[in-house]
Amino acid sequence: MWAGRFAKALDSKADDFNSSIRFDCKMYKQDIKGSIAHAEMLAAQGILDEADCEQIVGGLCGILEDLETGALDFDMSCEDIHMFVEAELTRRIGDAGKRLHTARSRNDQVAVDVRMYLRDEAEEITALLKQLIADIVDKAEENRAVIVPGYTHLQRAQPITFGHHLMAYAMMLLRDVGRLRDAAARMNFSPLGSCALAGTTYPTNRRLAAARLGFDGITRNSIDGVSDRDFCIEFLSAFSLIMMHLSRLSEEIILWSSWEFRFVELDDSFTTGSSIMPQKKNSDMAELVRGKTGRVYGDLVTLLTLMKGLPLAYNKDMQEDKEALFDAIETVKMCLDIFAPMIRTMRVKADNMYRAAQEGFINATDLADYLTRKGMPFRSAYKITGQIVAECIEKNCVLDDLPIEEYRKYTELFERDLYGEISLETCVGKRISEGGTSVESVEAQIDFVRKELMA
Ligand code: ARG
C-alpha cells in the first residue's frame, strides 16, 4: 500500500504483529456500507465521477454479497479489513477502486466502522436484555404471592414475596436497557470525513454521508473524531453492569439450588452432573455467567488502560480496542441468551420457601410494630421484642407458638390478636407501600416494567 515511500517490504513477523484482519474482519459489513456512503458523497459533491461511483458501489455490493455467501474469503495477508476491501475492490474494478480512498483515512474509517458495529450489536443486546426482563417479570407474576425470607447480611430479615425479589432484578436490567440507549444516543455521530486528523481540502459533505449511514449528525472536531474511544468505554461499562447484575442473580440461583436452601430447581437441560458424584446437579450455567463477569470487567479495564495517557490523535495502540470490545459483546450476548431460558424453566419450590420463612423470627419487626400501634414508643417495643425472641430461642419455639400468657408477662398491651398480626401473610400483605412486597405493590411494579418494555 505504501510502496512509494518504502524500499523494503515489512518483515514477516512485523507484518503479522501489525495486522488486525483476523479480528477486525468482523466489521466487514459496516466497512463496506461506510465505503458506499463515502463514494456516493464524493460523487454528489463532484469529487468522483458518476461512472466511477457506480463501479465502486457495484463492486462493493458484490464483495459484500460474496463474503456473505462464502464465495469470497478474507485475505489474511492484508493488514486490516479496510485494506482488504479496498484491495479486493481494485482487483475487481481496476482504477476506479483506487479512487475510493480520496478524502478519507483509515483513521476515520475505523472510527466510523466501530461505531456502526457497536450500534448494531447494542440493538441485539438490548433485545436479549428485554427478553430476559420479560421472562423475569413472568416468573415474578407467577410467584407474586409466594412467601420467602428476605435477607440482609444473608441473615433472614423480613418476609417478602418471591415475585418482589425477582422484580428487583427486573429493575436493574431495565436500567441497563436505559444505559445502552443513552450510550447509543451519545455515540451516534459520524467521524467519517475527519480523515487522518485534520480534515480535508476536498469539498466534502460529511453530513450527507453521516445521514446515509443513519447517524444523527457529525462529530464536531476532526482530531477528536479519530481519537475518541469514549463510546467503547461507555458500552463496556454498561456491559460490565449487566454482567454484575447477572452475576448477583447467578449467585442467588446457585445458593437457592443448594440442598441447604432448596428454594428453586433448575431444569435438567440447564444443569450438569458430576463425573464421580452420582447425586450431583450443578448450576454450571449460573456459575459460568458469574465467572464470565470477570472477563467483561477485564475488557473494560483493558480499554481504560489502553486509552490512558494516549496523545492525540490516532495511535496504533487503538487497534487493540477491538478484541476486548468484541469479546465483551460476545460474552454478554451468550450470557443473556442462556439466562432467559434458564429462568423460564426454573422451578420454584414455594413450600420450602414458606418453611424457611416460618423460622428465623422474620416477623419480629411486625411484633414490635404491633406494640407501637398500641401506643408504645418504637424503641421500647423493639427492646421487648428482642427479649421475647431470646426467650423463644431458649425455648426452641417461634413467635407464633409462644402462649399469650408468656407475652402478657412483658406487657398487658399484648392480646390474642397479635397472632394474626404477625402471621407471614399479614406481614407481607400489609406492606402496601409503593415498591413494597405486598402482592398489589408487586403487581404495580410488574405493570410498570411491562409498560417500559413496550415503550
Ligand atoms: N487497523 C487499524 C485499527 O484498527 C486501522 C487504522 C489504521 N490507521 C493507521 N494510520 N495505521 O486501528
Side-chain angles (χ1 to χ4, degrees), residues 20 24 80 82 106-107 110 314 316 319 322:
S20 57
D24 65 20
D80 56 27
H82 327 294
R106 279 184 298 155
N107 297 351
V110 71
Y314 178 84
K316 192 74 174 214
Q319 179 165 288
K322 281 170 275 310

Side-chain angles (χ1 to χ4, degrees), residues 156-157 359-368 371 381-400 402 406-407 410 414 422:
R156 289 173 192 166
E359 299 157 9
F361 304 100
I362 61 180
N363 47 1
T365 313
D366 296 82
L367 185 64
L371 290 179
Y382 172 95
K383 190 169 173 204
I384 287 182
T385 306
Q387 290 164 343
I388 298 172
V389 167
E391 185 185 332
C392 286
I393 292 172
E394 181 90 356
K395 294 198 156 116
N396 197 19
C397 70
V398 292
L399 294 174
D400 314 64
L402 193 71
E406 296 296 323
Y407 273 108
Y410 290 91
F414 281 127
I422 65 168

Side-chain angles (χ1 to χ4, degrees), residues 125-261:
I125 291 176
T126 301
L128 289 168
L129 253 179
K130 286 185 167 177
Q131 180 59 56
L132 174 59
I133 298 172
D135 288 324
I136 290 178
V137 171
D138 287 349
K139 251 310 138 184
E141 190 175 42
E142 280 167 38
N143 293 282
R144 62 191 183 282
V146 169
I147 294 175
V148 66
Y151 295 80
T152 62
H153 314 270
L154 207 54
Q155 303 281 334
R156 289 173 192 166
Q158 288 178 343
I160 57 171
T161 52
F162 191 54
H164 189 212
H165 193 103
L166 287 177
M167 285 310 292
Y169 284 101
M171 300 299 171
M172 296 176 218
L173 297 172
L174 196 59
R175 286 197 295 279
D176 290 329
V177 170
R179 254 185 289 273
L180 293 179
R181 196 195 305 121
D182 295 347
R186 225 178 339 272
M187 175 176 72
N188 206 28
F189 294 88
S190 169
L192 194 60
S194 297
C195 303
L197 77 163
T200 181
T201 54
Y202 291 99
T204 53
N205 181 349
R206 292 185 55 201
R207 287 167 196 274
L208 189 62
R212 288 206 176 170
L213 293 172
F215 286 99
D216 295 322
I218 55 166
T219 56
R220 301 299 183 122
N221 177 300
S222 60
I223 299 172
D224 180 48
V226 291
S227 62
D228 167 34
R229 293 292 182 276
D230 292 3
F231 55 95
C232 297
I233 294 173
E234 274 196 61
F235 272 103
L236 281 171
S237 34
F239 297 158
S240 295
L241 283 172
I242 294 173
M243 292 303 294
M244 182 190 82
H245 295 147
L246 294 187
S247 79
R248 294 182 75 174
L249 184 48
S250 296
E251 169 66 11
E252 299 212 287
I253 289 172
I254 294 161
L255 277 175
W256 293 336
S257 308
S258 72
W259 209 251
E260 283 69 20
F261 276 82

Side-chain angles (χ1 to χ4, degrees), residues 235-352:
F235 272 103
L236 281 171
S237 34
F239 297 158
S240 295
L241 283 172
I242 294 173
M243 292 303 294
M244 182 190 82
H245 295 147
L246 294 187
S247 79
R248 294 182 75 174
L249 184 48
S250 296
E251 169 66 11
E252 299 212 287
I253 289 172
I254 294 161
L255 277 175
W256 293 336
S257 308
S258 72
W259 209 251
E260 283 69 20
F261 276 82
R262 286 201 282 167
F263 283 1
V264 301
E265 186 175 352
L266 291 177
D267 194 72
D268 284 356
S269 53
F270 289 92
T271 46
T272 56
S274 153
S275 57
I276 166 168
M277 297 165 282
Q279 83 285 11
K280 294 265 280 185
K281 186 168 170 183
N282 298 328
S283 331
D284 289 32
M285 310 307 135
E287 289 168 45
L288 273 171
V289 169
R290 189 176 59 182
K292 284 177 192 289
T293 303
R295 185 175 169 144
V296 174
Y297 289 3
D299 293 327
L300 168 63
V301 173
T302 297
L303 246 83
L304 283 168
T305 313
L306 176 70
M307 295 306 291
K308 177 186 174 295
L310 268 195
L312 299 180
Y314 178 84
N315 298 271
K316 192 74 174 214
D317 313 44
M318 288 156 76
Q319 179 165 288
E320 290 285 309
D321 59 359
K322 281 170 275 310
E323 278 169 298
L325 190 62
F326 296 162
D327 180 71
I329 290 170
E330 288 315 310
T331 307
V332 171
K333 284 205 296 197
M334 259 191 320
C335 291
L336 289 169
D337 207 26
I338 199 86
F339 227 88
M342 185 177 78
I343 294 284
R344 228 177 290 145
T345 54
M346 180 176 83
R347 272 203 316 118
V348 173
K349 299 180 161 178
D351 292 352
N352 292 343

Side-chain angles (χ1 to χ4, degrees), residues 36-47 53 102-103 192-193 203-209 212:
I36 291 174
H38 179 66
E40 288 175 345
M41 180 280 288
L42 290 179
Q45 296 297 105
I47 304 167
C53 178
T102 312
L192 194 60
T204 53
N205 181 349
R206 292 185 55 201
R207 287 167 196 274
L208 189 62
R212 288 206 176 170

